[in-house]
Amino acid sequence: SCRNRLKTCLCFRQTIHQRLTMDKFSKSQKDEYATAFAILALYDGGADVSTEQIGALLEATGNTEVEAFYPIIFANFLNSPEKIGELIALPAAGGGG
C-alpha cells in the first residue's frame, strides 16, 4: 500500500540522515555516544549499569570497536540510578568566563 511505501521511504531517509550526521563525529565522539546510549538503555530498562552490562549491550548492538576504557569510566561515574536520573533531570550548567 501507499502508506507502507511512505513509511519505508521515511525510515530509509532517516537512516541515511543519521549515517551522514554520525559521519561528522570523531571516533572518540562516536564511542562516547554509543556508551552513553547504552547506559540510557540500561537505565530505562531497570538493568544494572556496570562495565560488564555496558560492554554486553555495546557488543549486542554491533558497537564492537568502542575503546574499552569508555564503559569503565562511564560506569564508575554513573554507578547508581539516582546519579543517572539526576543527570537527565538537571540542565547542564554553562561554563564561566
Side-chain angles (χ1 to χ4, degrees):
S1 77
C2 184
R3 182 179 222 175
N4 286 339
R5 284 191 302 247
L6 178 59
K7 188 175 182 181
T8 301
C9 182
L10 290 175
C11 289
F12 178 74
R13 183 175 180 271
Q14 182 179 7
T15 300
I16 295 298
H17 176 71
Q18 289 170 340
R19 184 173 297 149
L20 293 174
T21 303
M22 289 300 288
D23 287 344
K24 294 179 182 179
F25 293 120
S26 68
K27 164 88 167 84
S28 61
Q29 289 172 317
K30 290 177 186 178
D31 288 356
E32 289 174 11
Y33 276 119
T35 305
F37 290 139
I39 288 172
L40 289 173
L42 292 168
Y43 171 79
D44 190 50
D48 182 37
V49 176
S50 66
T51 302
E52 295 78 21
Q53 291 287 81
I54 296 167
L57 188 53
L58 289 172
E59 181 78 27
T61 57
N63 292 291
T64 57
E65 296 184 18
V66 172
E67 296 291 339
F69 64 87
Y70 283 107
I72 296 168
I73 292 171
F74 278 62
N76 285 337
F77 178 70
L78 299 169
N79 56 8
S80 73
E82 293 78 22
K83 283 186 179 180
I84 298 169
E86 183 179 319
L87 188 63
I88 293 170
L90 296 177

